[in-house]
Amino acid sequence: MSDLLQDIAIALDQAVLRCDNPLAGELLLVEGQSSWLSELLPDSQYQQPFIIEDDCYFLQDFMVDAKALWLSPENGRLRSGFWTESLSSGRTLHLEAVAIKQGNTQVLLINNQSEEFRQRQKTIQSARELTLANDKLQEQYQYLHHRLLAMINSPKGISDSLSPIIAAIENANFGVMVLDPQFRPMIENPAILEIFDYQKDEQLSTELPVETLLRLMHTQLPECTRILSTATTWSGELCWMKPPHTLKWLKVAIYPVKDDNQKLSHWLFFINDISRLKYLLQRNEKLTLQDPLTDLPNRHAFWQYLEKRIFEQQPLFLLYADITDFKQVNEFYGHAEGDRLLVELSGRLSSVLKKTDFVARVGGDEFAIVLNGVESVENCLMLGNRLLAVCQHPFYTESQAAYHVSLCMGAVSFPDDALTAEELMKFADLSAYNGRSKNVKGLQFYSQELKDASRQRIQIEKELRHGIENDELELLLQPILDLKCGSIRKAEVLVRWNRPGHGLVSPVDFIPVAEQCGLIVALGKWVFEHAMQLLKQLQELDLTIKLSINLSPVQVMDSSIFDFMQLCIDKYQVNPHYLELEITEGILVDDYEQIHRLLTRVRGLGMSISVDDFGTGYSSLAYLKRLPIDFLKIDRSFVKDIATDDNDKAIVLAVIAMAHNLNLGVIAEGVETSEQQAFLANNCCDSAQGYLFSRPIHFDGLVELLQAQKDGVSADWQPK
Amino acid sequence: MIQKKICLLGTSGVGKTSLIRQYVEGIFDKKYLTTIGVKIDKKLVQLEHQNVQFMLWDIEGADRYSVFQERYLRGAAAYIIVVDQSRSPSLIEGMDIHTLVRQVHPCPTVLAINKSDLETRWHWNSKELADYKELFDLSFHTSAKTGEQVELMFTELAELLTKER
Ligand SMILES: Nc1nc2c(ncn2[C@@H]2O[C@H](COP(=O)(O)OP(=O)(O)OP(=O)(O)O)[C@@H](O)[C@H]2O)c(=O)[nH]1
Ligand SMILES: [Mg+2]
């Protein structure tokens, strides 16, 4: 029996040691003597008690944990994790120790894990190399991006070719183009000419790099028109084929540069040849036409298929779907789980489809589906809804945590809606995008309504641009109450638009448009500057309270926002301690670094930060913990039913507890009844705002309230 | 002779292994071989009045592939947070680790801003960087490649640790 155990231990490359007296820490080798063990622990002879000395420092250290386990009354096991030991003979060992307590037996296993170690190192090595390469690229992009922006915005402009940034561009090892709004090149560096094999002195008939690039975008990106016409930032991959021999994968990043009035002034294009990287990734995979993760056809296979069907004049419906919460899943559970989700979802989608249909993964979380032989819009709708229904069942992580995601899906018909593959894809994308932004569930058909809506949006945009210049905007203030003392300590700044011919427009009707077209940056600056004027007046009246100003996600990404705020504060001589910025929960996950930096700097000035609409988005404690914030604002949808709904009650209590735990204050939004107020006050919620106390009011109204408060006249909501 | 456990912490690829290698063996390898788990190296630091034995714990970088193990810090006399000046996220991650560790394991701390031979890529200005350095007992601009400030860092740390007694 003992021989057998001995053989097993040796075969497992494992040493088994027993510890009869955990207090003394003496070990006894019972099985698995080997040459590496005697080199590692020279004192370990069969059945000879010994103590681990300094020479194996890691084990000595692990023994502290092992002893604690052995001395505890519970059974259990504890792993040390891998460690590496260089022996004096020059040999390197990769080991792991396991301490086990089972009844009265205390055991220490030492495993020689060379194979497992190498395996893990191999996988992680390539993952980390990719991360590093990617970081580096990102860094270079951002660096040049910032420098270029600064240069373009400088009074001298790009004409100053002696500028060091020009030298940096010339020497960058990726392609850089600076274009005017009509896509005429102003700067092209040598790298970009090289990427596109472009010889400057070639005859005029060859395509310019920018022409090639725009052509690729138009044919490979359905969302291209939307990106270019709304001047949106985009990055992604394009494939360039130039017969007979050239096939290159390009990583492209596009940044619009806008002037202070949010008019497009330049385009920046960064292009990097990632063919080699792709090659490395695809080396072991069925090349080019299949998506390695899901085994579905990829974007290129899809284009080929769609073009073929159109060429054959086969009527079809094209559906375009993306996962609404994919980013959250990725962030929350990690990328491995994001991948699992994609695999599972593509399986579910495929299972609903017929053999004659075609589904492909055309982007990160995007799928395209061609339905053949579907006769009517009604039938397509039915099928579409069946596809959407695959998300009704939860998805599971590897550790069996259940979660839900949903799809947003757009549909177009060939030949009814469009005649070319590009247009079909573009319209399907637009429909899905529209469904998503309006938050409607279900399949979205490309419709007249959509065309009208986009026209309307353009109209609002035009008038709003005008409105900002003509001061058609005005600020209202909604008081925020300290629940302990019942007095107004703060007010949220809200903007209204006096739109000619339409009357007072509420923010929900124009902020989204402003966000989409980038006008929000100018609008946000208008609001900030005018809020400073109000604060200054309050200071002069000796009625100072804190003003809380909303910052939209787009503004957070605007690199000039901080300088602007600082400038305003100086200009109006206001005390930044009386300023608060409200950001929405969603942006916390979008660009951690940028927001971290902005918030830190803003806080450095003395402003405070609150997180708006808390609870509606995806709330990762990790982010909350790490970001410099001061308050959480509980969304009104939770507050609404707190007096009656136990779920909402529980959520609000949990948020309050969690916030206080992180040293954050809590503000409840949308408080309308005294029951709600009582519940919040009794449960240590710090502040509240809502119609119960006051609607958003004009500045004069606020001044009156504050004056009354100062004079000791109590309002009826105040504790007597 | 006194022995001191020193942990090198930071996200992956910042140069923890390379710094130790440069210090202990005087070698730099530009090929990246990621550390799995832990490796401990010893180095005798000779100061004017006494010698100190450093036990240098090279710990796998904390990133999305590997969680930071607080357990490895037990008994550490000091830790060095290594960041890579050519990759700005590494500073944020380093500061996060620092914040976490400072609470559970108060001890002298060092900031190693590594790869000083490469161009700075981050957008922190010197004032902001100085604020970060404030949070440490010592800080250095090191290069595991050229050896700049590497020996200096360990020697000054040894001096700090012996003075403390
Ligand atoms: N130019 C330069 N490169 C360096 C320097 N230090 C490290 N490197 C390089 O950076 C890469 C990563 O270095 P490592 O020392 O393995 O990094 P690490 O922090 O130990 O990484 P993990 O073990 O994965 O956590 C290697 O390719 C090194 O050659 C430096 O000071 N200058
Ligand atoms: Mg390492």
Side-chain angles (χ1 to χ4, degrees):
Chain A
M1 180 65 186
S2 146
D3 277 356
L4 179 65
L5 287 179
Q6 177 67 12
D7 288 348
I8 293 175
I10 290 173
L12 290 173
D13 225 356
Q14 177 179 70
V16 184
L17 303 124
R18 219 175 59 210
C19 178
D20 293 333
N21 180 359
L23 275 176
E26 271 184 350
L27 294 170
L28 212 58
L29 176 64
V30 284
E31 312 286 355
Q33 193 162 43
S34 59
S35 66
W36 62 260
L37 186 69
S38 25
E39 231 188 301
L40 180 73
L41 301 169
D43 293 341
S44 63
Q45 309 289 331
Y46 267 124
Q47 307 294 356
Q48 302 275 323
F50 71 100
I51 285 185
I52 293 179
E53 304 276 0
D54 269 15
D55 43 355
C56 187
Y57 193 68
F58 184 89
L59 257 187
Q60 193 186 32
D61 185 88
F62 180 63
M63 283 294 283
V64 178
D65 296 314
K67 283 183 199 165
L69 172 78
W70 292 331
L71 288 169
S72 85
E74 315 272 316
N75 287 338
R77 59 166 52 217
L78 183 73
R79 310 175 79 93
S80 71
F82 289 125
W83 90 95
T84 299
E85 201 74 55
S86 297
L87 302 175
S88 46
S89 66
R91 186 171 170 186
T92 303
L93 292 174
H94 301 297
L95 304 165
E96 184 176 41
V98 187
I100 300 172
K101 159 131 184 139
Q102 184 67 49
N104 288 327
T105 324
Q106 293 100 11
V107 175
L108 181 73
L109 304 179
I110 305 177
N111 298 322
N112 188 349
Q113 296 278 50
S114 298
E115 213 23 68
E116 291 75 1
F117 180 94
R118 255 184 282 280
Q119 199 54 43
R120 181 170 161 82
Q121 187 169 52
K122 209 173 112 204
T123 0
I124 296 197
Q125 178 81 37
S126 45
R128 287 193 171 139
E129 273 173 10
L130 268 178
T131 315
L132 286 192
N134 201 43
D135 269 7
K136 206 162 271 164
L137 206 64
Q138 207 57 36
E139 227 33 86
Q140 281 188 325
Y141 277 161
Q142 277 175 8
Y143 175 76
L144 266 189
H145 185 198
H146 286 149
R147 299 287 302 267
L148 265 171
L149 276 182
M151 181 184 74
I152 289 173
N153 289 331
S154 83
K156 281 191 195 150
I158 331 188
S159 58
D160 184 6
S161 55
L162 289 175
S163 148
I165 182 70
I166 298 283
I169 293 174
E170 286 290 304
N171 293 311
N173 46 14
F174 51 88
V176 179
M177 283 193 289
V178 180
L179 308 167
D180 72 6
Q182 285 73 46
F183 300 106
R184 283 181 302 236
M186 309 180 68
I187 296 179
E188 288 169 311
N189 72 347
I192 198 151
L193 304 179
E194 195 177 318
I195 288 174
F196 287 103
D197 296 335
Y198 181 81
Q199 253 86 44
K200 273 226 148 121
D201 41 288
E202 252 177 51
Q203 66 275 45
L204 287 168
S205 60
T206 35
E207 222 174 19
L208 292 172
V210 60
E211 290 167 349
T212 314
L213 203 69
L214 289 173
R215 180 168 56 80
L216 297 181
M217 286 179 65
H218 278 293
T219 49
Q220 295 176 29
L221 284 179
E223 54 279 42
C224 175
T225 320
R226 170 161 62 77
I227 292 164
L228 297 182
S229 67
T230 56
T232 313
T233 303
W234 179 82
S235 80
E237 293 171 8
L238 297 172
C239 177
W240 179 48
M241 277 177 280
K242 185 175 158 196
H245 300 306
T246 310
L247 190 159
K248 279 188 187 175
W249 284 95
L250 307 176
K251 186 170 167 63
V252 179
I254 300 178
Y255 303 99
V257 184
K258 299 179 183 174
D259 63 16
D260 275 351
N261 296 321
Q262 291 311 299
K263 261 187 61 197
L264 181 70
S265 70
H266 296 83
W267 287 99
L268 297 185
F269 279 40
F270 291 136
I271 295 106
N272 206 42
D273 184 348
I274 52 163
S275 310
R276 225 186 83 75
L277 196 68
K278 270 273 194 226
Y279 170 74
L280 285 176
L281 286 176
Q282 292 184 340
R283 199 167 37 180
N284 304 316
E285 292 147 7
K286 274 189 237 163
L287 224 72
T288 55
L289 290 179
Q290 194 181 34
D291 168 44
L293 181 65
T294 59
D295 285 345
L296 292 179
N298 66 9
R299 183 170 200 125
H300 295 277
F302 181 76
W303 278 103
Q304 283 181 7
Y305 178 82
L306 185 61
E307 283 184 332
K308 182 162 152 276
R309 298 301 288 179
I310 290 171
F311 180 76
E312 295 164 355
Q313 291 292 311
Q314 302 288 335
L316 55 83
F317 282 97
L318 166 65
L319 310 185
Y320 191 87
D322 70 15
I323 307 175
T324 332
D325 332 282
F326 185 65
K327 189 167 173 159
Q328 282 85 322
V329 172
N330 253 340
E331 296 272 351
F332 198 79
Y333 295 113
H335 289 259
E337 290 300 341
D339 286 353
R340 273 171 65 94
L341 166 63
L342 291 169
V343 173
E344 168 71 20
L345 181 66
S346 35
R348 290 190 193 180
L349 290 174
S350 307
S351 71
V352 177
L353 295 169
K354 282 200 249 157
K355 279 233 163 55
T356 49
D357 299 329
F358 188 91
V359 53
R361 178 171 171 223
V362 293
D365 62 341
E366 292 149 33
F367 296 86
I369 298 160
V370 172
L371 302 177
N372 293 305
V374 173
E375 244 105 75
S376 64
V377 170
E378 287 71 39
N379 286 351
C380 172
L381 196 63
M382 212 173 65
L383 247 166
N385 284 333
R386 213 183 295 156
L387 284 167
L388 289 169
V390 302
C391 288
Q392 274 168 3
H393 304 291
F395 292 82
Y396 292 93
T397 64
E398 187 146 23
S399 52
Q400 296 300 309
Y403 62 92
H404 279 92
V405 294
S406 57
L407 290 176
C408 65
M409 196 181 272
V412 285
S413 123
F414 171 80
D416 295 341
D417 292 324
L419 294 174
T420 64
E422 284 102 62
E423 275 209 315
L424 282 168
M425 280 297 267
K426 186 173 79 184
F427 293 162
D429 167 62
L430 216 65
S431 317
Y433 179 80
N434 178 53
R436 183 181 188 146
S437 56
K438 285 205 306 214
N439 216 348
V440 290
K441 300 262 164 343
L443 189 62
Q444 291 288 300
F445 272 95
Y446 186 63
S447 60
Q448 187 58 41
E449 190 194 338
L450 203 57
K451 289 179 208 162
D452 293 347
S454 88
R455 199 166 309 126
Q456 210 176 343
R457 216 170 27 235
I458 293 169
Q459 187 61 26
I460 294 188
E461 182 188 334
K462 215 172 78 192
E463 287 184 34
L464 185 59
R465 191 182 301 278
H466 197 72
I468 297 174
E469 284 160 16
N470 286 345
D471 272 349
E472 289 166 13
L473 301 170
E474 63 181 36
L475 294 185
L476 296 185
L477 298 142
Q478 185 170 35
I480 299 175
L481 236 72
D482 183 322
L483 282 174
K484 257 194 230 91
C485 61
S487 49
I488 302 172
R489 288 289 165 79
K490 213 191 274 188
E492 179 175 354
V493 176
L494 299 158
V495 61
R496 297 279 185 279
W497 178 24
N498 229 326
R499 185 179 177 195
H502 293 260
L504 222 50
V505 187
S506 118
V508 288
D509 293 320
F510 66 90
I511 296 286
V513 178
E515 265 172 354
Q516 229 173 34
C517 65
L519 216 50
I520 192 75
V521 176
L523 179 70
K525 286 182 176 169
W526 188 96
V527 170
F528 193 87
E529 178 157 10
H530 284 75
M532 291 312 101
Q533 297 173 3
L534 298 186
L535 183 57
K536 169 133 186 99
Q537 292 182 45
L538 286 177
Q539 279 179 8
E540 282 163 4
L541 292 167
D542 198 18
L543 291 173
T544 321
I545 55 165
K546 198 181 251 194
L547 294 187
S548 175
I549 301 164
N550 289 280
L551 209 61
S552 100
V554 185
Q555 281 177 284
V556 174
M557 295 303 138
D558 171 18
S559 53
S560 66
I561 186 77
F562 179 78
D563 292 340
F564 177 82
M565 292 194 288
Q566 204 169 18
L567 218 72
C568 283
I569 290 170
D570 287 349
K571 178 170 165 193
Y572 294 99
Q573 294 286 305
V574 293
N575 180 349
H577 286 101
Y578 289 104
L579 285 173
E580 182 161 305
L581 294 181
E582 291 193 17
I583 54 175
T584 54
E585 203 187 332
I587 48 173
L588 297 186
V589 298
D590 274 347
D591 190 335
Y592 176 76
E593 200 197 324
Q594 181 122 356
I595 183 131
H596 188 281
R597 180 173 147 75
L598 177 68
L599 297 189
T600 310
R601 297 176 79 191
V602 160
R603 261 237 204 120
L605 291 181
M607 296 195 225
S608 54
I609 313 284
S610 64
V611 175
D612 206 3
D613 301 338
F614 188 76
T616 54
Y618 137 79
S619 37
S620 156
L621 255 186
Y623 284 104
L624 285 179
K625 258 201 284 215
R626 291 158 58 164
L627 283 169
I629 51 185
D630 306 276
F631 299 95
L632 295 184
K633 295 187 85 171
I634 305 181
D635 188 64
R636 60 185 65 246
S637 58
F638 296 106
V639 174
K640 190 163 155 263
D641 296 323
I642 38 180
T644 49
D645 185 316
D646 285 343
N647 273 335
D648 287 351
K649 224 179 252 183
I651 290 174
V652 170
L653 290 180
V655 172
I656 295 175
M658 189 267 294
H660 286 169
N661 203 324
L662 296 177
N663 273 329
L664 304 175
V666 182
I667 304 166
E669 291 177 298
V671 178
E672 294 182 358
T673 69
S674 40
E675 287 78 30
Q676 293 167 341
Q677 180 196 1
F679 176 87
L680 291 165
N682 291 337
N683 288 291
C684 304
C685 179
D686 307 279
S687 319
Q689 80 186 82
Y691 286 2
L692 176 64
F693 315 118
S694 167
R695 294 175 176 267
I697 47 181
H698 282 104
F699 182 68
D700 298 343
L702 181 73
V703 168
E704 262 170 48
L705 279 181
L706 292 175
Q707 192 61 54
Q709 177 170 300
K710 194 174 173 191
D711 300 341
V713 186
S714 74
D716 49 3
W717 66 73
Q718 282 171 332
K720 301 275 151 50
Chain B
M1 183 186 36
I2 44 170
Q3 217 179 47
K4 297 278 180 191
K5 169 174 175 178
I6 312 291
C7 292
L8 276 85
L9 310 175
T11 191
S12 46
V14 291
K16 299 179 292 299
T17 307
S18 304
L19 282 170
I20 295 181
R21 207 124 184 254
Q22 173 63 260
Y23 181 51
V24 176
E25 301 173 57
I27 305 176
F28 172 75
D29 188 348
K30 76 175 202 291
K31 194 171 165 331
Y32 174 33
L33 188 64
T34 185
T35 306
I36 301 295
V38 175
K39 183 162 185 296
I40 303 170
D41 275 284
K42 291 182 200 165
K43 167 91 179 181
L44 188 70
V45 196
Q46 295 175 315
L47 301 177
E48 216 170 302
H49 301 293
Q50 59 178 318
N51 292 348
V52 185
Q53 172 88 300
F54 267 178
M55 312 298 288
L56 300 167
W57 283 52
D58 180 10
I59 302 175
E60 173 167 3
D63 57 14
R64 74 165 74 117
Y65 308 104
S66 140
V67 215
F68 178 66
Q69 300 275 348
E70 277 168 36
R71 169 159 63 91
Y72 292 145
L73 288 166
R74 185 192 31 236
Y79 60 87
I80 302 176
I81 300 266
V82 184
V83 304
D84 173 352
Q85 71 161 4
S86 67
R87 265 164 62 216
S88 53
S90 74
L91 179 63
I92 295 211
E93 282 163 72
M95 294 314 296
D96 275 350
I97 298 174
H98 183 50
T99 315
L100 186 86
V101 174
R102 205 161 38 157
Q103 290 162 7
V104 296
H105 192 91
C107 66
T109 57
V110 180
L111 176 65
I113 301 174
N114 192 36
K115 307 202 187 178
S116 62
D117 56 292
L118 298 178
E119 213 179 315
T120 336
R121 278 293 184 207
W122 58 37
H123 34 60
W124 282 280
N125 57 34
S126 45
K127 162 85 176 70
E128 287 166 305
L129 211 54
D131 287 348
Y132 283 128
K133 289 181 185 168
E134 279 280 284
L135 303 170
F136 295 81
D137 296 277
L138 298 171
S139 66
F140 299 88
H141 291 262
T142 58
S143 166
K145 185 173 174 182
T146 65
E148 190 200 334
Q149 294 213 339
V150 176
E151 175 112 32
L152 179 77
M153 170 169 79
F154 287 105
T155 313
E156 281 198 12
L157 177 59
E159 271 161 5
L160 178 78
L161 291 178
T162 47
K163 207 166 50 203
E164 284 215 329
R165 312 197 102 207

